[in-house]
mmCIF file with all atom_site columns, all heavy atoms in Angstrom:
data_model
loop_
_atom_site.group_PDB
_atom_site.id
_atom_site.type_symbol
_atom_site.label_atom_id
_atom_site.label_alt_id
_atom_site.label_comp_id
_atom_site.label_asym_id
_atom_site.label_entity_id
_atom_site.label_seq_id
_atom_site.pdbx_PDB_ins_code
_atom_site.Cartn_x
_atom_site.Cartn_y
_atom_site.Cartn_z
_atom_site.occupancy
_atom_site.B_iso_or_equiv
_atom_site.pdbx_formal_charge
_atom_site.auth_seq_id
_atom_site.auth_comp_id
_atom_site.auth_asym_id
_atom_site.auth_atom_id
_atom_site.pdbx_PDB_model_num
ATOM 1   N N   . ASN A 1 1  ? 12.206  1.522   -47.432 1.00 0.00 ? 1  ASN A N   1
ATOM 2   C CA  . ASN A 1 1  ? 12.379  2.391   -46.274 1.00 0.00 ? 1  ASN A CA  1
ATOM 3   C C   . ASN A 1 1  ? 12.563  1.544   -45.018 1.00 0.00 ? 1  ASN A C   1
ATOM 4   O O   . ASN A 1 1  ? 12.003  0.458   -44.902 1.00 0.00 ? 1  ASN A O   1
ATOM 5   C CB  . ASN A 1 1  ? 11.148  3.296   -46.101 1.00 0.00 ? 1  ASN A CB  1
ATOM 6   C CG  . ASN A 1 1  ? 10.998  4.294   -47.230 1.00 0.00 ? 1  ASN A CG  1
ATOM 7   O OD1 . ASN A 1 1  ? 11.886  5.115   -47.457 1.00 0.00 ? 1  ASN A OD1 1
ATOM 8   N ND2 . ASN A 1 1  ? 9.896   4.220   -47.953 1.00 0.00 ? 1  ASN A ND2 1
ATOM 9   N N   . ASN A 1 2  ? 13.341  2.041   -44.084 1.00 0.00 ? 2  ASN A N   1
ATOM 10  C CA  . ASN A 1 2  ? 13.608  1.348   -42.817 1.00 0.00 ? 2  ASN A CA  1
ATOM 11  C C   . ASN A 1 2  ? 14.024  -0.107  -43.033 1.00 0.00 ? 2  ASN A C   1
ATOM 12  O O   . ASN A 1 2  ? 13.450  -1.028  -42.441 1.00 0.00 ? 2  ASN A O   1
ATOM 13  C CB  . ASN A 1 2  ? 12.369  1.396   -41.911 1.00 0.00 ? 2  ASN A CB  1
ATOM 14  C CG  . ASN A 1 2  ? 11.895  2.802   -41.653 1.00 0.00 ? 2  ASN A CG  1
ATOM 15  O OD1 . ASN A 1 2  ? 12.656  3.640   -41.177 1.00 0.00 ? 2  ASN A OD1 1
ATOM 16  N ND2 . ASN A 1 2  ? 10.653  3.095   -41.979 1.00 0.00 ? 2  ASN A ND2 1
ATOM 17  N N   . PRO A 1 3  ? 15.020  -0.351  -43.867 1.00 0.00 ? 3  PRO A N   1
ATOM 18  C CA  . PRO A 1 3  ? 15.366  -1.743  -44.211 1.00 0.00 ? 3  PRO A CA  1
ATOM 19  C C   . PRO A 1 3  ? 15.909  -2.557  -43.055 1.00 0.00 ? 3  PRO A C   1
ATOM 20  O O   . PRO A 1 3  ? 15.758  -3.781  -43.037 1.00 0.00 ? 3  PRO A O   1
ATOM 21  C CB  . PRO A 1 3  ? 16.429  -1.567  -45.302 1.00 0.00 ? 3  PRO A CB  1
ATOM 22  C CG  . PRO A 1 3  ? 17.048  -0.243  -45.024 1.00 0.00 ? 3  PRO A CG  1
ATOM 23  C CD  . PRO A 1 3  ? 15.913  0.604   -44.531 1.00 0.00 ? 3  PRO A CD  1
ATOM 24  N N   . SER A 1 4  ? 16.526  -1.907  -42.072 1.00 0.00 ? 4  SER A N   1
ATOM 25  C CA  . SER A 1 4  ? 17.137  -2.664  -40.981 1.00 0.00 ? 4  SER A CA  1
ATOM 26  C C   . SER A 1 4  ? 16.100  -3.364  -40.115 1.00 0.00 ? 4  SER A C   1
ATOM 27  O O   . SER A 1 4  ? 16.415  -4.332  -39.429 1.00 0.00 ? 4  SER A O   1
ATOM 28  C CB  . SER A 1 4  ? 17.998  -1.740  -40.117 1.00 0.00 ? 4  SER A CB  1
ATOM 29  O OG  . SER A 1 4  ? 17.209  -0.710  -39.557 1.00 0.00 ? 4  SER A OG  1
ATOM 30  N N   . VAL A 1 5  ? 14.867  -2.884  -40.138 1.00 0.00 ? 5  VAL A N   1
ATOM 31  C CA  . VAL A 1 5  ? 13.794  -3.508  -39.346 1.00 0.00 ? 5  VAL A CA  1
ATOM 32  C C   . VAL A 1 5  ? 12.692  -3.994  -40.277 1.00 0.00 ? 5  VAL A C   1
ATOM 33  O O   . VAL A 1 5  ? 11.508  -3.899  -39.981 1.00 0.00 ? 5  VAL A O   1
ATOM 34  C CB  . VAL A 1 5  ? 13.230  -2.525  -38.283 1.00 0.00 ? 5  VAL A CB  1
ATOM 35  C CG1 . VAL A 1 5  ? 14.237  -2.309  -37.176 1.00 0.00 ? 5  VAL A CG1 1
ATOM 36  C CG2 . VAL A 1 5  ? 12.836  -1.196  -38.921 1.00 0.00 ? 5  VAL A CG2 1
ATOM 37  N N   . GLY A 1 6  ? 13.103  -4.555  -41.419 1.00 0.00 ? 6  GLY A N   1
ATOM 38  C CA  . GLY A 1 6  ? 12.141  -4.979  -42.422 1.00 0.00 ? 6  GLY A CA  1
ATOM 39  C C   . GLY A 1 6  ? 11.135  -5.996  -41.932 1.00 0.00 ? 6  GLY A C   1
ATOM 40  O O   . GLY A 1 6  ? 9.947   -5.918  -42.255 1.00 0.00 ? 6  GLY A O   1
ATOM 41  N N   . SER A 1 7  ? 11.576  -6.964  -41.133 1.00 0.00 ? 7  SER A N   1
ATOM 42  C CA  . SER A 1 7  ? 10.649  -7.985  -40.636 1.00 0.00 ? 7  SER A CA  1
ATOM 43  C C   . SER A 1 7  ? 9.593   -7.364  -39.727 1.00 0.00 ? 7  SER A C   1
ATOM 44  O O   . SER A 1 7  ? 8.410   -7.725  -39.793 1.00 0.00 ? 7  SER A O   1
ATOM 45  C CB  . SER A 1 7  ? 11.415  -9.078  -39.880 1.00 0.00 ? 7  SER A CB  1
ATOM 46  O OG  . SER A 1 7  ? 12.194  -9.836  -40.766 1.00 0.00 ? 7  SER A OG  1
ATOM 47  N N   . ALA A 1 8  ? 10.001  -6.421  -38.874 1.00 0.00 ? 8  ALA A N   1
ATOM 48  C CA  . ALA A 1 8  ? 9.043   -5.762  -37.976 1.00 0.00 ? 8  ALA A CA  1
ATOM 49  C C   . ALA A 1 8  ? 8.034   -4.948  -38.774 1.00 0.00 ? 8  ALA A C   1
ATOM 50  O O   . ALA A 1 8  ? 6.838   -4.945  -38.466 1.00 0.00 ? 8  ALA A O   1
ATOM 51  C CB  . ALA A 1 8  ? 9.792   -4.874  -36.979 1.00 0.00 ? 8  ALA A CB  1
ATOM 52  N N   . VAL A 1 9  ? 8.489   -4.254  -39.821 1.00 0.00 ? 9  VAL A N   1
ATOM 53  C CA  . VAL A 1 9  ? 7.572   -3.495  -40.662 1.00 0.00 ? 9  VAL A CA  1
ATOM 54  C C   . VAL A 1 9  ? 6.600   -4.443  -41.362 1.00 0.00 ? 9  VAL A C   1
ATOM 55  O O   . VAL A 1 9  ? 5.417   -4.144  -41.523 1.00 0.00 ? 9  VAL A O   1
ATOM 56  C CB  . VAL A 1 9  ? 8.351   -2.654  -41.688 1.00 0.00 ? 9  VAL A CB  1
ATOM 57  C CG1 . VAL A 1 9  ? 7.396   -1.953  -42.651 1.00 0.00 ? 9  VAL A CG1 1
ATOM 58  C CG2 . VAL A 1 9  ? 9.218   -1.617  -40.977 1.00 0.00 ? 9  VAL A CG2 1
ATOM 59  N N   . GLY A 1 10 ? 7.111   -5.615  -41.759 1.00 0.00 ? 10 GLY A N   1
ATOM 60  C CA  . GLY A 1 10 ? 6.249   -6.593  -42.407 1.00 0.00 ? 10 GLY A CA  1
ATOM 61  C C   . GLY A 1 10 ? 5.099   -7.040  -41.527 1.00 0.00 ? 10 GLY A C   1
ATOM 62  O O   . GLY A 1 10 ? 3.999   -7.335  -42.017 1.00 0.00 ? 10 GLY A O   1
ATOM 63  N N   . PHE A 1 11 ? 5.332   -7.089  -40.212 1.00 0.00 ? 11 PHE A N   1
ATOM 64  C CA  . PHE A 1 11 ? 4.255   -7.471  -39.289 1.00 0.00 ? 11 PHE A CA  1
ATOM 65  C C   . PHE A 1 11 ? 3.048   -6.544  -39.440 1.00 0.00 ? 11 PHE A C   1
ATOM 66  O O   . PHE A 1 11 ? 1.896   -6.965  -39.276 1.00 0.00 ? 11 PHE A O   1
ATOM 67  C CB  . PHE A 1 11 ? 4.735   -7.402  -37.836 1.00 0.00 ? 11 PHE A CB  1
ATOM 68  C CG  . PHE A 1 11 ? 5.751   -8.455  -37.464 1.00 0.00 ? 11 PHE A CG  1
ATOM 69  C CD1 . PHE A 1 11 ? 6.359   -8.423  -36.225 1.00 0.00 ? 11 PHE A CD1 1
ATOM 70  C CD2 . PHE A 1 11 ? 6.107   -9.447  -38.358 1.00 0.00 ? 11 PHE A CD2 1
ATOM 71  C CE1 . PHE A 1 11 ? 7.303   -9.383  -35.867 1.00 0.00 ? 11 PHE A CE1 1
ATOM 72  C CE2 . PHE A 1 11 ? 7.048   -10.411 -38.011 1.00 0.00 ? 11 PHE A CE2 1
ATOM 73  C CZ  . PHE A 1 11 ? 7.641   -10.376 -36.766 1.00 0.00 ? 11 PHE A CZ  1
ATOM 74  N N   . LEU A 1 12 ? 3.315   -5.270  -39.731 1.00 0.00 ? 12 LEU A N   1
ATOM 75  C CA  . LEU A 1 12 ? 2.237   -4.287  -39.821 1.00 0.00 ? 12 LEU A CA  1
ATOM 76  C C   . LEU A 1 12 ? 1.341   -4.535  -41.029 1.00 0.00 ? 12 LEU A C   1
ATOM 77  O O   . LEU A 1 12 ? 0.196   -4.086  -41.049 1.00 0.00 ? 12 LEU A O   1
ATOM 78  C CB  . LEU A 1 12 ? 2.821   -2.880  -39.888 1.00 0.00 ? 12 LEU A CB  1
ATOM 79  C CG  . LEU A 1 12 ? 3.745   -2.472  -38.726 1.00 0.00 ? 12 LEU A CG  1
ATOM 80  C CD1 . LEU A 1 12 ? 4.304   -1.076  -38.953 1.00 0.00 ? 12 LEU A CD1 1
ATOM 81  C CD2 . LEU A 1 12 ? 3.004   -2.549  -37.396 1.00 0.00 ? 12 LEU A CD2 1
ATOM 82  N N   . PHE A 1 13 ? 1.862   -5.219  -42.039 1.00 0.00 ? 13 PHE A N   1
ATOM 83  C CA  . PHE A 1 13 ? 1.074   -5.505  -43.241 1.00 0.00 ? 13 PHE A CA  1
ATOM 84  C C   . PHE A 1 13 ? 0.422   -6.879  -43.194 1.00 0.00 ? 13 PHE A C   1
ATOM 85  O O   . PHE A 1 13 ? -0.401  -7.194  -44.058 1.00 0.00 ? 13 PHE A O   1
ATOM 86  C CB  . PHE A 1 13 ? 1.969   -5.428  -44.483 1.00 0.00 ? 13 PHE A CB  1
ATOM 87  C CG  . PHE A 1 13 ? 2.524   -4.059  -44.756 1.00 0.00 ? 13 PHE A CG  1
ATOM 88  C CD1 . PHE A 1 13 ? 3.889   -3.843  -44.775 1.00 0.00 ? 13 PHE A CD1 1
ATOM 89  C CD2 . PHE A 1 13 ? 1.685   -2.985  -44.973 1.00 0.00 ? 13 PHE A CD2 1
ATOM 90  C CE1 . PHE A 1 13 ? 4.405   -2.580  -45.027 1.00 0.00 ? 13 PHE A CE1 1
ATOM 91  C CE2 . PHE A 1 13 ? 2.182   -1.715  -45.219 1.00 0.00 ? 13 PHE A CE2 1
ATOM 92  C CZ  . PHE A 1 13 ? 3.552   -1.510  -45.251 1.00 0.00 ? 13 PHE A CZ  1
ATOM 93  N N   . ALA A 1 14 ? 0.798   -7.700  -42.227 1.00 0.00 ? 14 ALA A N   1
ATOM 94  C CA  . ALA A 1 14 ? 0.298   -9.073  -42.188 1.00 0.00 ? 14 ALA A CA  1
ATOM 95  C C   . ALA A 1 14 ? -1.171  -9.101  -41.739 1.00 0.00 ? 14 ALA A C   1
ATOM 96  O O   . ALA A 1 14 ? -1.549  -8.425  -40.783 1.00 0.00 ? 14 ALA A O   1
ATOM 97  C CB  . ALA A 1 14 ? 1.141   -9.918  -41.234 1.00 0.00 ? 14 ALA A CB  1
ATOM 98  N N   . PRO A 1 15 ? -2.003  -9.887  -42.395 1.00 0.00 ? 15 PRO A N   1
ATOM 99  C CA  . PRO A 1 15 ? -3.402  -10.001 -41.972 1.00 0.00 ? 15 PRO A CA  1
ATOM 100 C C   . PRO A 1 15 ? -3.518  -10.942 -40.781 1.00 0.00 ? 15 PRO A C   1
ATOM 101 O O   . PRO A 1 15 ? -2.616  -11.740 -40.506 1.00 0.00 ? 15 PRO A O   1
ATOM 102 C CB  . PRO A 1 15 ? -4.072  -10.614 -43.203 1.00 0.00 ? 15 PRO A CB  1
ATOM 103 C CG  . PRO A 1 15 ? -2.992  -11.475 -43.803 1.00 0.00 ? 15 PRO A CG  1
ATOM 104 C CD  . PRO A 1 15 ? -1.707  -10.715 -43.578 1.00 0.00 ? 15 PRO A CD  1
ATOM 105 N N   . VAL A 1 16 ? -4.613  -10.846 -40.071 1.00 0.00 ? 16 VAL A N   1
ATOM 106 C CA  . VAL A 1 16 ? -4.950  -11.873 -39.087 1.00 0.00 ? 16 VAL A CA  1
ATOM 107 C C   . VAL A 1 16 ? -5.476  -13.063 -39.883 1.00 0.00 ? 16 VAL A C   1
ATOM 108 O O   . VAL A 1 16 ? -6.421  -12.929 -40.674 1.00 0.00 ? 16 VAL A O   1
ATOM 109 C CB  . VAL A 1 16 ? -6.013  -11.380 -38.096 1.00 0.00 ? 16 VAL A CB  1
ATOM 110 C CG1 . VAL A 1 16 ? -6.392  -12.494 -37.119 1.00 0.00 ? 16 VAL A CG1 1
ATOM 111 C CG2 . VAL A 1 16 ? -5.512  -10.159 -37.345 1.00 0.00 ? 16 VAL A CG2 1
ATOM 112 N N   . SER A 1 17 ? -4.850  -14.203 -39.732 1.00 0.00 ? 17 SER A N   1
ATOM 113 C CA  . SER A 1 17 ? -5.232  -15.332 -40.572 1.00 0.00 ? 17 SER A CA  1
ATOM 114 C C   . SER A 1 17 ? -5.010  -16.647 -39.840 1.00 0.00 ? 17 SER A C   1
ATOM 115 O O   . SER A 1 17 ? -4.313  -16.706 -38.824 1.00 0.00 ? 17 SER A O   1
ATOM 116 C CB  . SER A 1 17 ? -4.428  -15.323 -41.880 1.00 0.00 ? 17 SER A CB  1
ATOM 117 O OG  . SER A 1 17 ? -3.057  -15.566 -41.627 1.00 0.00 ? 17 SER A OG  1
ATOM 118 N N   . TYR A 1 18 ? -5.584  -17.688 -40.390 1.00 0.00 ? 18 TYR A N   1
ATOM 119 C CA  . TYR A 1 18 ? -5.395  -19.036 -39.849 1.00 0.00 ? 18 TYR A CA  1
ATOM 120 C C   . TYR A 1 18 ? -5.608  -20.026 -40.974 1.00 0.00 ? 18 TYR A C   1
ATOM 121 O O   . TYR A 1 18 ? -6.525  -19.891 -41.786 1.00 0.00 ? 18 TYR A O   1
ATOM 122 C CB  . TYR A 1 18 ? -6.378  -19.325 -38.707 1.00 0.00 ? 18 TYR A CB  1
ATOM 123 C CG  . TYR A 1 18 ? -5.987  -20.522 -37.883 1.00 0.00 ? 18 TYR A CG  1
ATOM 124 C CD1 . TYR A 1 18 ? -4.912  -20.473 -37.007 1.00 0.00 ? 18 TYR A CD1 1
ATOM 125 C CD2 . TYR A 1 18 ? -6.696  -21.721 -37.983 1.00 0.00 ? 18 TYR A CD2 1
ATOM 126 C CE1 . TYR A 1 18 ? -4.546  -21.572 -36.255 1.00 0.00 ? 18 TYR A CE1 1
ATOM 127 C CE2 . TYR A 1 18 ? -6.342  -22.825 -37.227 1.00 0.00 ? 18 TYR A CE2 1
ATOM 128 C CZ  . TYR A 1 18 ? -5.250  -22.742 -36.375 1.00 0.00 ? 18 TYR A CZ  1
ATOM 129 O OH  . TYR A 1 18 ? -4.885  -23.843 -35.622 1.00 0.00 ? 18 TYR A OH  1
ATOM 130 N N   . GLU A 1 19 ? -4.746  -21.035 -41.010 1.00 0.00 ? 19 GLU A N   1
ATOM 131 C CA  . GLU A 1 19 ? -4.806  -22.036 -42.063 1.00 0.00 ? 19 GLU A CA  1
ATOM 132 C C   . GLU A 1 19 ? -4.927  -23.423 -41.456 1.00 0.00 ? 19 GLU A C   1
ATOM 133 O O   . GLU A 1 19 ? -4.280  -23.739 -40.466 1.00 0.00 ? 19 GLU A O   1
ATOM 134 C CB  . GLU A 1 19 ? -3.557  -21.960 -42.944 1.00 0.00 ? 19 GLU A CB  1
ATOM 135 C CG  . GLU A 1 19 ? -3.561  -22.936 -44.107 1.00 0.00 ? 19 GLU A CG  1
ATOM 136 C CD  . GLU A 1 19 ? -2.387  -22.713 -45.040 1.00 0.00 ? 19 GLU A CD  1
ATOM 137 O OE1 . GLU A 1 19 ? -1.580  -21.795 -44.790 1.00 0.00 ? 19 GLU A OE1 1
ATOM 138 O OE2 . GLU A 1 19 ? -2.283  -23.473 -46.029 1.00 0.00 ? 19 GLU A OE2 1
ATOM 139 N N   . ILE A 1 20 ? -5.773  -24.246 -42.059 1.00 0.00 ? 20 ILE A N   1
ATOM 140 C CA  . ILE A 1 20 ? -5.985  -25.614 -41.604 1.00 0.00 ? 20 ILE A CA  1
ATOM 141 C C   . ILE A 1 20 ? -5.823  -26.546 -42.796 1.00 0.00 ? 20 ILE A C   1
ATOM 142 O O   . ILE A 1 20 ? -6.326  -26.265 -43.896 1.00 0.00 ? 20 ILE A O   1
ATOM 143 C CB  . ILE A 1 20 ? -7.389  -25.809 -40.999 1.00 0.00 ? 20 ILE A CB  1
ATOM 144 C CG1 . ILE A 1 20 ? -7.633  -24.815 -39.856 1.00 0.00 ? 20 ILE A CG1 1
ATOM 145 C CG2 . ILE A 1 20 ? -7.553  -27.229 -40.479 1.00 0.00 ? 20 ILE A CG2 1
ATOM 146 C CD1 . ILE A 1 20 ? -9.035  -24.874 -39.289 1.00 0.00 ? 20 ILE A CD1 1
ATOM 147 N N   . VAL A 1 21 ? -5.098  -27.642 -42.593 1.00 0.00 ? 21 VAL A N   1
ATOM 148 C CA  . VAL A 1 21 ? -4.912  -28.656 -43.631 1.00 0.00 ? 21 VAL A CA  1
ATOM 149 C C   . VAL A 1 21 ? -5.460  -29.984 -43.109 1.00 0.00 ? 21 VAL A C   1
ATOM 150 O O   . VAL A 1 21 ? -5.151  -30.386 -41.988 1.00 0.00 ? 21 VAL A O   1
ATOM 151 C CB  . VAL A 1 21 ? -3.422  -28.815 -44.003 1.00 0.00 ? 21 VAL A CB  1
ATOM 152 C CG1 . VAL A 1 21 ? -3.265  -29.861 -45.110 1.00 0.00 ? 21 VAL A CG1 1
ATOM 153 C CG2 . VAL A 1 21 ? -2.831  -27.487 -44.440 1.00 0.00 ? 21 VAL A CG2 1
ATOM 154 N N   . ARG A 1 22 ? -6.274  -30.647 -43.927 1.00 0.00 ? 22 ARG A N   1
ATOM 155 C CA  . ARG A 1 22 ? -6.822  -31.944 -43.545 1.00 0.00 ? 22 ARG A CA  1
ATOM 156 C C   . ARG A 1 22 ? -6.661  -32.931 -44.695 1.00 0.00 ? 22 ARG A C   1
ATOM 157 O O   . ARG A 1 22 ? -6.702  -32.553 -45.868 1.00 0.00 ? 22 ARG A O   1
ATOM 158 C CB  . ARG A 1 22 ? -8.311  -31.824 -43.199 1.00 0.00 ? 22 ARG A CB  1
ATOM 159 C CG  . ARG A 1 22 ? -8.578  -31.015 -41.949 1.00 0.00 ? 22 ARG A CG  1
ATOM 160 C CD  . ARG A 1 22 ? -8.402  -31.796 -40.669 1.00 0.00 ? 22 ARG A CD  1
ATOM 161 N NE  . ARG A 1 22 ? -8.356  -30.918 -39.500 1.00 0.00 ? 22 ARG A NE  1
ATOM 162 C CZ  . ARG A 1 22 ? -9.418  -30.386 -38.916 1.00 0.00 ? 22 ARG A CZ  1
ATOM 163 N NH1 . ARG A 1 22 ? -10.614 -30.636 -39.397 1.00 0.00 ? 22 ARG A NH1 1
ATOM 164 N NH2 . ARG A 1 22 ? -9.284  -29.619 -37.866 1.00 0.00 ? 22 ARG A NH2 1
ATOM 165 N N   . SER A 1 23 ? -6.516  -34.201 -44.337 1.00 0.00 ? 23 SER A N   1
ATOM 166 C CA  . SER A 1 23 ? -6.357  -35.256 -45.334 1.00 0.00 ? 23 SER A CA  1
ATOM 167 C C   . SER A 1 23 ? -7.717  -35.825 -45.734 1.00 0.00 ? 23 SER A C   1
ATOM 168 O O   . SER A 1 23 ? -8.578  -36.068 -44.884 1.00 0.00 ? 23 SER A O   1
ATOM 169 C CB  . SER A 1 23 ? -5.473  -36.387 -44.791 1.00 0.00 ? 23 SER A CB  1
ATOM 170 O OG  . SER A 1 23 ? -4.163  -35.920 -44.539 1.00 0.00 ? 23 SER A OG  1
ATOM 171 N N   . LEU A 1 24 ? -7.872  -36.021 -47.023 1.00 0.00 ? 24 LEU A N   1
ATOM 172 C CA  . LEU A 1 24 ? -9.039  -36.724 -47.561 1.00 0.00 ? 24 LEU A CA  1
ATOM 173 C C   . LEU A 1 24 ? -8.618  -37.236 -48.937 1.00 0.00 ? 24 LEU A C   1
ATOM 174 O O   . LEU A 1 24 ? -8.641  -36.514 -49.926 1.00 0.00 ? 24 LEU A O   1
ATOM 175 C CB  . LEU A 1 24 ? -10.256 -35.801 -47.681 1.00 0.00 ? 24 LEU A CB  1
ATOM 176 C CG  . LEU A 1 24 ? -11.515 -36.450 -48.276 1.00 0.00 ? 24 LEU A CG  1
ATOM 177 C CD1 . LEU A 1 24 ? -11.975 -37.627 -47.414 1.00 0.00 ? 24 LEU A CD1 1
ATOM 178 C CD2 . LEU A 1 24 ? -12.631 -35.443 -48.435 1.00 0.00 ? 24 LEU A CD2 1
ATOM 179 N N   . TYR A 1 25 ? -8.181  -38.487 -48.968 1.00 0.00 ? 25 TYR A N   1
ATOM 180 C CA  . TYR A 1 25 ? -7.623  -39.043 -50.209 1.00 0.00 ? 25 TYR A CA  1
ATOM 181 C C   . TYR A 1 25 ? -8.712  -39.338 -51.221 1.00 0.00 ? 25 TYR A C   1
ATOM 182 O O   . TYR A 1 25 ? -9.781  -39.872 -50.892 1.00 0.00 ? 25 TYR A O   1
ATOM 183 C CB  . TYR A 1 25 ? -6.842  -40.326 -49.925 1.00 0.00 ? 25 TYR A CB  1
ATOM 184 C CG  . TYR A 1 25 ? -6.341  -40.997 -51.183 1.00 0.00 ? 25 TYR A CG  1
ATOM 185 C CD1 . TYR A 1 25 ? -5.158  -40.565 -51.777 1.00 0.00 ? 25 TYR A CD1 1
ATOM 186 C CD2 . TYR A 1 25 ? -7.064  -42.019 -51.783 1.00 0.00 ? 25 TYR A CD2 1
ATOM 187 C CE1 . TYR A 1 25 ? -4.700  -41.160 -52.948 1.00 0.00 ? 25 TYR A CE1 1
ATOM 188 C CE2 . TYR A 1 25 ? -6.616  -42.622 -52.943 1.00 0.00 ? 25 TYR A CE2 1
ATOM 189 C CZ  . TYR A 1 25 ? -5.434  -42.181 -53.533 1.00 0.00 ? 25 TYR A CZ  1
ATOM 190 O OH  . TYR A 1 25 ? -4.995  -42.755 -54.693 1.00 0.00 ? 25 TYR A OH  1
ATOM 191 N N   . SER A 1 26 ? -8.420  -38.987 -52.477 1.00 0.00 ? 26 SER A N   1
ATOM 192 C CA  . SER A 1 26 ? -9.338  -39.324 -53.556 1.00 0.00 ? 26 SER A CA  1
ATOM 193 C C   . SER A 1 26 ? -8.606  -39.197 -54.887 1.00 0.00 ? 26 SER A C   1
ATOM 194 O O   . SER A 1 26 ? -7.633  -38.446 -55.001 1.00 0.00 ? 26 SER A O   1
ATOM 195 C CB  . SER A 1 26 ? -10.551 -38.389 -53.548 1.00 0.00 ? 26 SER A CB  1
ATOM 196 O OG  . SER A 1 26 ? -11.399 -38.676 -54.644 1.00 0.00 ? 26 SER A OG  1
ATOM 197 N N   . ARG A 1 27 ? -9.084  -39.943 -55.874 1.00 0.00 ? 27 ARG A N   1
ATOM 198 C CA  . ARG A 1 27 ? -8.594  -39.739 -57.232 1.00 0.00 ? 27 ARG A CA  1
ATOM 199 C C   . ARG A 1 27 ? -9.512  -38.723 -57.913 1.00 0.00 ? 27 ARG A C   1
ATOM 200 O O   . ARG A 1 27 ? -10.712 -38.690 -57.654 1.00 0.00 ? 27 ARG A O   1
ATOM 201 C CB  . ARG A 1 27 ? -8.578  -41.057 -58.004 1.00 0.00 ? 27 ARG A CB  1
ATOM 202 C CG  . ARG A 1 27 ? -7.648  -42.086 -57.381 1.00 0.00 ? 27 ARG A CG  1
ATOM 203 C CD  . ARG A 1 27 ? -7.322  -43.206 -58.323 1.00 0.00 ? 27 ARG A CD  1
ATOM 204 N NE  . ARG A 1 27 ? -6.453  -44.196 -57.702 1.00 0.00 ? 27 ARG A NE  1
ATOM 205 C CZ  . ARG A 1 27 ? -5.746  -45.092 -58.369 1.00 0.00 ? 27 ARG A CZ  1
ATOM 206 N NH1 . ARG A 1 27 ? -5.788  -45.121 -59.694 1.00 0.00 ? 27 ARG A NH1 1
ATOM 207 N NH2 . ARG A 1 27 ? -4.991  -45.964 -57.740 1.00 0.00 ? 27 ARG A NH2 1
#
């Protein structure tokens, strides 16, 4: 439904989130 504004509709389903990546080398 409403395909022409698909990205805007997708915003409504997106969670509030945050991602962090850190380095820590190990075998």
Side-chain angles (χ1 to χ4, degrees):
N1 293 300
N2 304 304
S4 60
V5 289
S7 291
V9 175
F11 291 174
L12 303 177
F13 295 120
V16 177
S17 67
Y18 196 73
E19 182 173 359
I20 304 175
V21 181
R22 293 278 166 80
S23 296
L24 178 60
Y25 175 83
S26 177
R27 298 197 181 198

